[in-house]
């Protein structure tokens, strides 16, 4: 589909055009307004969503819960999700969890963001392992596994495969 065409023609140096239907690129510092831009893309009901997390460095506290809501929405839709930097988003969450300045609410939301991303990207086994860590870290029961309806495509891996084939 369009995802394969995009990967084949653009290769490694993909830059998503903000505002095009179904395209969203995270800024270095993600705030509530940025999450609303992602929401605006989802409201258009695209068949495919292209998300780039690679520029992200920090998720501001006001964006944590709304971002979690948007990821849950994506996971519940029958949509193709082509994502760059999904692991980078997970690493950003871990970095923020390691900083001592997080409130209890922010800590819980960062863990839930990680769980939601793992659910979208990796499936039940990895989710269950992270859910166990969540349980130990926060001393509360983790959310239950629910199968996603979205079809996740890891653009980073797809580009690596294309480079090997073309290389």
């Amino acid at each position: 589909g369009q995802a394969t065409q995009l990967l084949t023609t653009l290769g490694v140096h993909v830059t998503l055009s903000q505002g095009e239907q179904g395209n969203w690129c995270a800024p270095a510092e993600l705030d509530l307004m940025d999450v609303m831009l992602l929401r605006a893309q989802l409201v258009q009901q695209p068949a495919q969503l292209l998300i780039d997390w690679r520029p992200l460095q920090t998720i501001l506290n006001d964006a944590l819960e709304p971002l979690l809501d948007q990821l849950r929405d994506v996971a519940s839709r029958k949509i193709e999700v082509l994502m760059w930097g999904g692991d980078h988003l997970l690493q950003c969450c871990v970095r923020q969890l390691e900083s001592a300045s997080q409130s209890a609410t922010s800590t819980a939301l960062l863990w839930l963001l990680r769980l939601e991303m793992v659910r979208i990207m990796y499936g039940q086994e990895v989710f269950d392992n992270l859910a166990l860590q969540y349980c130990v870290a926060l001393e509360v029961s983790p959310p239950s596994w629910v199968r996603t309806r979205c079809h996740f495509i890891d653009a980073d891996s797809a580009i690596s495969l294309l480079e090997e084939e073309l290389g």
Side-chain angles (χ1 to χ4, degrees), residues 14-164:
V14 176
T15 324
L16 296 182
S17 303
Q18 281 287 43
E20 274 187 42
Q21 186 171 349
N23 289 1
W24 185 81
C25 184
E29 192 174 84
L30 184 73
D31 63 17
L32 180 59
M33 202 62 203
D34 300 307
V35 178
M36 293 302 99
L37 292 172
L38 174 59
R39 180 76 202 144
Q41 291 298 326
L42 290 170
V43 167
Q44 297 176 31
Q45 301 283 335
Q48 182 178 61
L49 183 63
L50 284 64
I51 300 178
D52 188 351
W53 297 108
R54 295 172 296 183
L56 184 66
Q57 296 302 314
T58 306
I59 306 167
L60 298 181
N61 286 342
D62 70 341
L64 289 171
E65 191 168 8
L67 179 58
L68 178 61
D69 291 341
Q70 299 318 306
L71 290 176
R72 286 176 174 158
D73 185 28
V74 167
S76 71
R77 291 180 184 222
K78 200 160 178 58
I79 186 174
E80 193 171 81
V81 181
L82 181 65
M83 192 181 295
W84 286 266
D87 284 320
H88 179 70
L89 171 59
L90 291 170
Q91 291 165 0
C92 287
C93 290
V94 169
R95 272 198 315 273
Q96 285 185 233
L97 281 166
E98 290 171 350
S99 77
S101 62
Q102 296 301 324
S103 69
T105 302
S106 295
T107 297
L109 288 168
L110 284 163
W111 270 100
L112 291 170
L113 269 174
R114 290 176 67 201
L115 282 165
E116 198 59 36
M117 282 297 290
V118 163
R119 184 168 80 98
I120 291 169
M121 293 172 58
Y122 294 111
Q124 188 169 3
E125 186 177 334
V126 178
F127 178 89
D128 287 345
N129 289 336
L130 187 60
L132 187 58
Q133 294 173 35
Y134 170 92
C135 186
V136 170
L138 300 181
E139 299 178 349
V140 293
S141 295
S144 301
W145 164 258
V146 178
R147 183 180 302 279
T148 62
R149 293 186 68 217
C150 68
H151 174 68
F152 171 74
I153 300 167
D154 183 349
D156 300 311
S157 294
I159 288 171
S160 296
L161 288 171
L162 282 169
E163 286 178 334
E164 287 175 23

